[in-house]
Each structure stands twice: as C-alpha cells, then as structure tokens.
C-alpha cells in the first residue's frame, strides 16, 4: 500500500527549499560529533 | 579537488569528510526536500542521516567512474522510501503544473491540459509500480538529466533513456485507451 501520493500543486506551494532553509540544516560539526559518539559507543568493550 | 581525491582524504581522516559534505549538502538537501514535498525538518534529519551513513561506510565505497553524488542519491532514495514505509499515515506530494504538462507532452498525450486532465494523469501515475514511478519522479519532478539517473542506477545513459521512454509509452497508451 502506498503511503505517498502525488497531487497537483494547486495552492502554488513552494516546492524548492530556500537558501535560508538549507543553511539552517547544514552543520558538519554536529554530524561529526554524532559520528564520533556512535563509533565510540560501538567500540566500547563488552564488560563496560 | 576531484571526488576521488576527496574520498581518499575522507578515508584517511574522517574529519576531512567535511569537504564532501560541503560540496554536496545543498543539492542533496534539495533532492530530499522535494521528495518529501517540502517537509523541512524531516528533510534536514534524513539528509544528515544520509551523510552519516556515507561517512560510516566510506571505506567500502568504490569508485566506478560515477560521481560521489550518485552514491549519496542512492542512499537518500532508500532512506526516503524507508521513511514513507515506516510512517503510518499517508502523505501527499504536490507536483507543479508545468512538470505535469511536460510529462504529458513527452508521453505524447497533449501539450495543453485542463486542471481536471492533469489530475487524472497524476492519478494514473499514482497507479504505476513503485519502481516505475521512482524513475518518472527523478526525471520530471526532480528534473535530473538522463546522465544523473544513469549514475544513480549504475546503468548507461542510453539505458536510462530507454527506461524513461518505455514508461512514458506505457502511460501514453493507457491514457489513450481510457479516452
């Protein structure tokens, strides 16, 4: 069963993100921090 | 710096993955945002997840002559599909009128369509198999070139073109059969 259905954009909703929206989500520091956290957790010895 | 040089740097030192992130974030966010019909927060989360997965698996990445972005697009396709599969409610993705009229003209249906006809055509598209709709979406709604589609599917450009036109032919026949 499809959870996604296409419809005609009658309301003329903006379908492309603005530069502002892109900038808001662009954060490599956070990504790198999350990555470090995840890899550190997976490297933790079993007895810990 | 070329993609292969950037990948090599990222394989040696994970913090250098930031160069690939900087290079491809905007276009990938745009891709996911459009696929989700403008759900900004979810698009942000999924885009970060795509880069996280790419970063974690960069050692397994092998260059096959395609740009690094095609690998990211493929991960993004899977993540968005997974999102819709996991969600319990239905989502509607708006499509601009000019995208539908272009599709109709390419499918040899008509160059001018009323709103009702456009809605009928969209309903027909919704009835396509998921894999076929995916290709149509990439070509007409994401506005990717045949070359970019070929890179995502790891096929030749000619093959990508053939896939698109076969689906368009199917849509055209079905449309004319119902009229």
């Amino acid at each position: 069963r499809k959870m996604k259905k296409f419809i005609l954009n009658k309301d003329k909703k903006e379908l492309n993100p603005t530069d502002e929206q892109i900038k808001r989500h662009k954060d490599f520091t956070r990504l790198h921090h999350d990555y470090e956290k995840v890899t550190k957790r997976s490297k933790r010895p079993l007895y810990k | 710096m070329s993609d292969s040089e950037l990948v090599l740097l990222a394989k040696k030192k994970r913090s250098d993955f930031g160069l690939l992130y900087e290079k491809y974030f905007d276009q990938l966010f745009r891709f996911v945002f459009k696929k989700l019909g403008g759900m900004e927060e979810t698009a942000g989360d999924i885009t970060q997840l795509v880069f996280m997965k790419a970063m974690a698996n960069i050692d397994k990445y092998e260059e096959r002559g395609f740009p690094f972005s095609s690998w990211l697009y493929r991960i993004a396709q899977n993540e968005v599909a997974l999102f819709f599969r996991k969600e319990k409610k239905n989502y509607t993705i708006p499509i601009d009128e000019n995208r539908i009229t272009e599709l109709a003209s390419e499918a040899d249906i008509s160059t001018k369509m009323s709103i009702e006809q456009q809605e009928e055509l969209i309903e027909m598209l919704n009835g396509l198999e998921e894999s076929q709709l995916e290709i149509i979406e990439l070509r007409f709604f994401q506005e990717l070139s045949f070359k970019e589609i070929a890179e995502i599917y790891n096929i030749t450009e000619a093959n990508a073109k053939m896939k698109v036109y076969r689906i368009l032919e199917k849509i055209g026949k079905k449309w004319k059969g119902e009229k």
Side-chain angles (χ1 to χ4, degrees):
Chain A
R1 193 168 78 85
K2 286 177 182 169
M3 295 297 184
K4 180 173 83 168
K5 215 175 161 209
F6 291 106
I7 55 164
L8 190 62
N9 189 15
K10 282 180 178 173
D11 308 330
K12 305 288 176 202
K13 182 184 172 188
E14 183 48 66
L15 301 178
N16 282 303
T18 61
D19 289 345
E20 195 53 54
Q21 285 174 310
I22 293 173
K23 223 168 110 180
R24 203 179 301 148
H25 294 276
K26 195 174 184 173
D27 185 354
F28 182 68
T29 311
R30 181 165 68 95
L31 180 80
H32 193 243
H33 177 74
D34 289 348
Y35 173 80
E36 290 287 308
K37 219 161 59 178
V38 168
T39 49
K40 212 169 270 181
R41 194 188 309 153
S42 61
K43 281 177 188 164
R44 185 169 54 189
L46 276 178
Y47 63 85
K48 281 190 178 175
Chain B
M1 242 191 272
S2 74
D3 274 6
S4 45
E5 287 171 311
L6 292 174
V7 168
L8 210 61
L9 282 175
K11 281 183 178 181
K12 282 180 190 165
K13 199 171 145 201
R14 283 299 186 269
S15 57
D16 282 344
F17 185 85
L19 297 166
L20 285 162
Y21 183 90
E22 280 300 319
K23 185 174 178 179
Y24 288 118
F25 184 89
D26 294 21
Q27 70 183 78
L28 200 78
F29 181 81
R30 247 180 232 116
F31 178 79
V32 174
F33 186 95
K34 283 171 88 170
K35 261 186 155 310
L36 293 168
M39 288 189 269
E40 186 192 333
E41 290 307 316
T42 309
D45 291 344
I46 289 181
T47 306
Q48 285 289 72
L49 182 63
V50 169
F51 278 107
M52 173 74 101
K53 289 199 167 184
M55 197 172 172
N57 293 299
I58 191 102
D59 287 330
K60 295 176 197 163
Y61 174 76
E62 285 174 30
E63 208 193 337
R64 295 200 179 108
F66 295 126
F68 185 72
S69 58
S70 62
W71 190 49
L72 293 174
Y73 277 137
R74 221 172 306 145
I75 300 172
Q77 289 252 69
N78 292 336
E79 288 306 322
V80 172
L82 194 64
F83 167 78
F84 283 121
R85 221 170 292 155
K86 281 202 297 197
E87 289 291 300
K88 295 293 178 208
K89 57 179 181 176
N90 292 325
Y91 286 96
T92 50
I93 309 295
I95 300 299
D96 279 336
E97 196 177 309
N98 61 351
R99 310 310 321 145
I100 285 296
T101 46
E102 192 192 329
L103 188 150
S105 129
E106 293 267 326
D108 203 17
I109 292 173
S110 160
T111 46
K112 280 201 162 189
M113 295 182 97
S114 67
I115 295 287
E116 288 73 25
Q117 285 177 315
Q118 287 176 42
E119 288 183 320
E120 271 181 63
L121 181 56
I122 290 177
E123 213 37 64
M124 191 179 277
L125 294 177
N126 283 326
L128 285 175
E129 284 170 28
E130 243 170 285
S131 58
Q132 294 180 325
L133 188 55
E134 195 74 71
I135 292 175
I136 289 295
E137 188 184 350
L138 290 177
R139 175 67 184 151
F140 294 98
F141 308 156
Q142 290 279 354
E143 300 174 65
L144 297 188
S145 68
F146 288 119
K147 187 172 180 289
E148 288 172 310
I149 294 171
E151 286 162 357
I152 292 174
Y153 286 100
N154 245 330
I155 54 178
T156 65
E157 199 173 332
N159 206 333
K161 208 175 274 191
M162 194 170 70
K163 270 178 186 281
V164 170
Y165 282 110
R166 273 191 184 158
I167 300 166
L168 287 175
E169 191 182 12
K170 184 182 168 180
I171 294 167
K173 275 182 183 168
K174 200 173 174 193
W175 178 268
K176 283 163 190 162
E178 287 184 7
K179 295 293 138 189

